[in-house]
Structures are given as C-alpha cells and as structure tokens.
Amino acid sequence: MIRAWHLDLMMIRQRMLLNLPISLVLCLWLGLQTQSLATVVAAALFMTYPMVGMQLGQYDELKGWKSYRMTLPLSRRDIVAGRYLTLLTLVIASLLTAAVAVGLNIGIAAVAPGLGGPAGMMAAMFSADAVHAALLVGLAFLLVCTVMVCAMTILFYRFGATTATTMLPMLGVFAVLMVALFVGSLDESVVAAWSDGLLWLLSPERLVLCCGICAVLTVAIMAASAAICMRIYTRTEL
C-alpha cells in the first residue's frame, strides 16, 4: 500500500507544485473581492482536492503508471488502498492550503486594512461568526468534494479512462462554477434569508453537531467508495 501511495505521489507531484501558487493567488484575490472567509476556504479546498483527485485515473493512463504498477509486487488491494491514501493526502494538503490562504488574507488585512474595500469589511471578514461560517462551509464543501472525487474514482476503476470518464471531471468543475455564479446572482432578500439560516446554525452546539455530521459522512463515503473500488478492481481482467 505504501509503495502504491509513493507512486501516486510521484505521479501528481508536478501538478501539485503547479497548483499551489495558483491556488494561493486565487484565494488572495477572492478574499479581496468577496470579503468572505468561507469563499477563500472553499476555493482552496476545491483547487487542491477535487481538481487533482478527480483526474488521478487519467494520469494512470496518460503516464503509463497503471501498466507499470502491475509489474510491481503489489496486490490490487494494495493499489486501491494506496489510491485512497493519496486522496486522504490531498484532503490534508487542501486543508493546509486553506490555512495558508487564510493566513495570507489575515496578513493583507493587517498590513493594508483598506485594500479591497473599507476597513470595516475586512474586519468583519475575520469576525467570530465569519470564522465559524468558514469552518461549517469548509467541512460541508469537503463532503461535496469527497462525493465527486469518490464517484469519479469508482467510474475510473469500473470503465477505465474512456471519453466519458475523461470529460466528467471537467463537467464537475463546470457544475461547481455554475452553482457559484447562481449563488452570486441571487436576490439580496434570498441571500439575507440564507444568512439568517446560517447564523442559526452557528451557535456552538449546532456548529459542533453540523461539523461532526459532515466529518463522519465524509469518512463513511470515502470508506464505502474504497470498498466498492476494491471489489471492482480485484475482479477486473486487465
């Protein structure tokens, strides 16, 4: 399993190094433009986790890693376990990227509080409610990303890198962008109603409960997906 994980990391290392500065610049820009800590966290998670995780199957085919791995003393269960260990690594990397992105926005707010808007808006961006909302939105978005990534992983193990499975990650990215544009174009009264509902969830007890539910569901979905992929891959003739 560890050897398969190392092979996956070698395969995506260049993509990760390229993604990191782009992600941080994008998060810094979004922080200045939207004054929303939750938006910064969601963007950091998305750029690091699903943007790479949904394309792991394509890398297998394009780089020839799939055939190479089969020549190594690795069982198919080890290969699948290594792949999900890679996904877990991407989750951790996305959380660290989000932390760095938040730190950069805090630094900008401290050095130039008027940059990107009135100083009061930057101060509100890091209020207690804003931090709680960012935590809740981040874990909920991580759950959504896990559903997307695990679904793509199952499809790649079942069908391989076909035209359809190659297009699906791009459709997933497009869907996320459309949802973001839709939310951004909502009427102010709708946004205000959503904000009131979000504030209701941000009490300490409800926040802990919601975050716990999101974390448990994320782990459960990843574990179920790994079990399905192991079942498929061990029965697949290559």
Side-chain angles (χ1 to χ4, degrees), residues 46-230:
F46 184 75
M47 287 294 292
T48 309
Y49 179 28
M51 284 290 285
V52 178
M54 288 194 299
Q55 299 181 29
L56 285 172
Q58 295 181 35
Y59 295 150
D60 280 349
E61 300 289 341
L62 294 175
K63 301 295 184 180
W65 288 107
K66 183 177 180 181
S67 300
Y68 175 66
R69 275 200 302 259
M70 297 307 295
T71 66
L72 298 175
L74 297 171
S75 69
R76 295 191 180 186
R77 288 183 176 274
D78 286 338
I79 292 173
V80 175
R83 174 54 48 89
Y84 277 85
L85 188 56
T86 302
L87 294 180
L88 182 60
T89 303
L90 289 175
V91 170
I92 295 172
S94 68
L95 294 174
L96 292 175
T97 302
V100 173
V102 170
L104 287 175
N105 278 274
I106 292 175
I108 291 295
V111 174
L115 187 61
M121 293 178 65
M122 289 299 289
M125 183 177 176
F126 303 106
S127 65
D129 283 343
V131 172
H132 292 165
L135 178 61
L136 179 59
V137 170
L139 286 174
F141 192 69
L142 189 63
L143 173 61
V144 173
C145 290
T146 298
V147 172
M148 295 170 58
V149 172
C150 289
M152 284 304 311
T153 304
I154 292 173
L155 289 174
F156 271 115
Y157 276 113
R158 177 62 182 85
F159 300 106
T162 64
T163 302
T165 55
T166 302
M167 291 292 295
L168 281 174
M170 290 184 285
L171 293 177
V173 173
F174 180 75
V176 171
L177 292 176
M178 289 299 99
V179 170
L181 290 174
F182 171 74
V183 172
S185 64
L186 287 175
D187 185 77
E188 290 185 1
S189 60
V190 178
V191 175
W194 282 14
S195 298
D196 292 340
L198 184 60
L199 288 174
W200 181 81
L201 289 174
L202 293 183
S203 67
E205 298 82 5
R206 298 189 186 100
L207 179 64
V208 171
L209 177 61
C210 291
C211 290
I213 291 173
C214 289
V216 169
L217 287 176
T218 299
V219 173
I221 289 171
M222 189 169 286
S225 173
I228 293 172
C229 288
M230 283 186 180

Side-chain angles (χ1 to χ4, degrees), residues 7-37:
L7 287 173
D8 276 352
L9 293 183
M10 289 173 59
M11 183 174 62
I12 65 174
R13 179 177 56 188
Q14 185 175 358
R15 178 63 185 271
M16 290 293 293
L17 292 176
L18 178 64
N19 261 22
L20 180 59
I22 295 174
S23 300
L24 293 178
V25 171
L26 175 64
C27 291
L28 184 58
W29 179 79
L30 286 173
L32 294 174
Q33 293 297 317
T34 66
Q35 309 292 328
S36 170
L37 195 60

